[in-house]
Amino acid sequence: MRVDAVQARRVLVDGAFVPATVLVRDGRVAALEPFAHDAAGLVLRVPDTACVLPGNVDTHVHVNEPGRTEWEGFVTATAAAAFGGATTLVDMPLNSVPPTTTPEHLAVKRAAARDELMVDVGFWGGAVPDNRGRLAPLWEEGVFGFKCFLAPSGVDEFPPLDPAQFRAALAEVAAFDGLMLVHAEDAAALASAPAPPSRAYADFLLSRPDGAEVEAVRRVVDGARETGARVHVLHLSSARALDVLAAARAEGLRVTVETCPHYLCFDAGGIPDAAPQFKCCPPIRDAGNREALWDALRAGVVDAVVSDHSPASPLEKLRGDGDLQQAWGGISGLQVSLAAVAHEAARRDVPLADVSRWMSRNTADLVGLGRKGRIEVGADADLVVYDTAEEVRVEAARLAHRHPLSAYDGLSLAGRVTRTLVRGDAVDPARPDHTWGRMLRRAGPSGDAGRNAGETGAA
């Protein structure tokens, strides 16, 4: 259903909620008119209890297709995204087979995604030992940047970079002004931590200590300083790394940082033992750590909030019968990310406008998608109706992602996404096989990080 206008008393424009009528033409915002504007065509009139936000841009999603589609695939992942208010995803390069580490593997990934997308999807490339010196061709093929690990990734086909390889990869990416994403946990620190078989969450937490993150973040910052590369710290869990990151920002280094809803919503004290749905790496830490991450978001030390949706089959997630060292580490939260973060933000008197900025505009800007994550003339008409008067109880079995396992199961959240528009098309939950989405590629010449980089286009 193509919508010609959206009319609401609260539309998020330039960081403030204003009454407006959003006119849509050819998939983009054509004009922002007063609320009383007499719009022609099909008009979506939003209840006064709801507001209109730009669609979230979730830049950290593991779709896993092809190769591990039994864990998650494009159909189920993009449906979960649409129903949760994310209108753009950027897919991580690992857990699929083959991983997205060569132009040929990228072509396989794009072929798997064709005609399966309910929202727009772009792709990260991977930096691994075997493709050193050969990252530029992937960049030219339109990936938005490169992900690497400093410790084992959990899958053999995506090995980590050692310190010398990491430094070389940063220099390579800096040469064409690409972006390096880093899973920042130090391999040596992890290897020296106790990791006995255990069903106790406290034991799992000890196996992924704060020091592993802090040491790795220092290496990332040092690498950015030495090479001039743009670097992005993925899924920051430990607040003890914040001082290092704040100092790097003050120094003028090109370092950005994300955290995730599960680090903002949960704390170690509330996680039961033998509950692998809460296992992720780096781990969910204590309540004081959680509040420090909220403070860092408000202070601008952390830039963005992304789902790090990383599902697996029940066979993998439940492996070990509660032994948290054996279970697959990853949290399924794509569909509930916006509602969960907005709920926790309201409890802390954090404005919804800030939540939207962290999850839409800031993530869009990270990858150069200048027409995403904002409601302004010329932007893609990716719009979300979010009703704060509707309370929802999360039921994992009713979520759209492939398997009914989620840390958010049973939570009651004050607020719900009631409508999602992808470039002006209203997503219909009754038609999960319909394809509203397109594949995205980084546009513009190599090294172009400006407003027009990564605009919408068929891959």
Side-chain angles (χ1 to χ4, degrees):
M1 179 177 69
R2 177 61 60 88
V3 171
D4 297 296
V6 178
Q7 197 168 52
R9 295 194 180 277
R10 293 189 296 155
V11 179
L12 186 59
V13 179
D14 290 333
F17 285 102
V18 298
T21 299
V22 183
L23 302 185
V24 178
R25 184 169 60 248
D26 298 327
R28 297 192 185 176
V29 177
L32 293 171
E33 300 290 353
F35 175 76
H37 180 78
D38 186 15
L42 181 59
V43 180
L44 176 63
R45 291 181 170 86
V46 174
D48 289 351
T49 56
C51 59
V52 178
L53 306 172
N56 280 1
V57 178
D58 194 335
T59 54
H60 196 146
V61 177
H62 295 268
V63 176
N64 305 330
E65 186 177 2
R68 291 191 175 95
T69 309
E70 71 275 12
W71 293 14
E72 185 73 285
F74 285 106
V75 171
T76 48
T78 60
F83 302 156
T87 52
T88 301
L89 306 181
V90 187
D91 176 53
M92 282 294 168
L94 73 155
N95 299 345
S96 58
V97 181
T100 314
T101 53
T102 69
E104 294 77 17
H105 293 177
L106 175 62
V108 172
K109 172 74 78 169
R110 285 173 169 159
R114 189 168 294 119
D115 300 325
E116 291 197 346
L117 307 180
M118 289 182 70
V119 301
D120 290 351
V121 175
F123 303 97
W124 295 113
V128 295
D130 286 349
N131 69 356
R132 283 186 303 150
R134 292 181 284 120
L135 297 179
L138 258 177
W139 181 250
E140 296 298 336
E141 280 297 314
V143 299
F144 288 93
F146 304 90
K147 179 178 184 176
C148 71
F149 280 74
L150 303 184
S153 70
V155 291
D156 292 340
E157 66 273 6
F158 203 96
L161 301 176
D162 66 26
Q165 292 166 341
F166 177 59
R167 173 64 174 74
L170 282 181
E172 183 180 354
V173 169
F176 51 79
D177 200 28
L179 175 65
M180 182 67 84
L181 317 177
V182 188
H183 181 120
E185 288 185 286
D186 180 71
L190 293 179
S192 64
S198 176
R199 296 163 61 88
Y201 186 79
D203 288 341
F204 170 67
L205 194 57
L206 290 173
S207 75
R208 315 294 295 206
D210 292 271
E213 280 193 85
V214 175
E215 179 58 32
V217 167
R218 285 199 184 102
R219 186 177 306 150
V220 173
V221 168
D222 289 345
R225 182 183 300 110
E226 293 165 6
T227 65
R230 292 190 290 139
V231 297
H232 181 71
V233 175
L234 295 167
H235 45 48
L236 182 72
S237 157
S238 176
R240 295 186 185 181
L242 290 170
D243 287 346
V244 178
L245 292 163
R249 304 288 283 269
E251 187 181 337
L253 300 179
R254 297 195 293 171
V255 178
T256 50
V257 191
E258 69 183 36
T259 192
C260 303
H262 38 275
Y263 302 133
L264 300 172
C265 296
F266 303 114
D267 69 86
I271 296 177
D273 293 337
Q277 66 269 31
F278 291 94
K279 178 185 175 180
C280 58
C281 300
I284 297 166
R285 304 189 188 275
D286 61 76
N289 183 91
R290 178 189 60 196
E291 298 312 311
L293 291 176
W294 276 104
D295 290 342
L297 278 163
R298 285 178 281 207
V301 177
V302 176
D303 304 272
V305 180
V306 296
S307 70
D308 189 12
H309 179 70
S310 186
S313 68
L315 179 67
E316 293 296 320
K317 197 63 181 165
L318 302 176
R319 181 165 19 104
D321 189 28
D323 178 358
L324 297 177
Q325 292 300 334
Q326 294 190 51
W328 175 262
I331 288 181
S332 298
L334 178 57
Q335 188 169 336
V336 298
S337 289
L338 173 58
V341 176
H343 176 85
E344 290 295 321
R347 295 180 59 223
R348 294 165 174 81
D349 295 322
V350 175
L352 181 59
D354 289 351
V355 172
S356 179
R357 185 179 75 255
W358 299 330
M359 302 183 81
S360 58
R361 180 182 287 264
N362 286 7
T363 45
D365 289 350
L366 172 71
V367 294
L369 286 169
R371 291 205 299 259
K372 300 288 189 184
R374 64 209 76 209
I375 301 175
E376 61 184 35
V377 174
D380 286 352
D382 296 339
L383 306 173
V384 169
V385 178
Y386 183 74
D387 197 331
T388 54
E390 292 205 21
E391 183 170 298
V392 61
R393 182 175 175 82
V394 179
E395 297 179 47
R398 296 172 64 89
L399 298 175
H401 67 253
R402 188 172 296 277
H403 298 293
L405 293 170
S406 176
Y408 299 91
D409 187 36
L411 289 189
S412 293
L413 305 174
R416 186 171 73 90
V417 173
T418 59
R419 177 68 77 177
T420 300
L421 277 65
V422 177
R423 282 173 284 98
D425 272 339
V427 173
D428 184 354
R431 301 178 64 195
D433 59 337
H434 190 73
T435 54
W436 288 270
R438 298 176 182 171
M439 280 184 274
L440 308 178
R441 65 169 75 222
R442 184 191 57 82
S446 179
D448 180 2
R451 177 172 170 75
N452 294 320
E455 297 293 10
T456 303

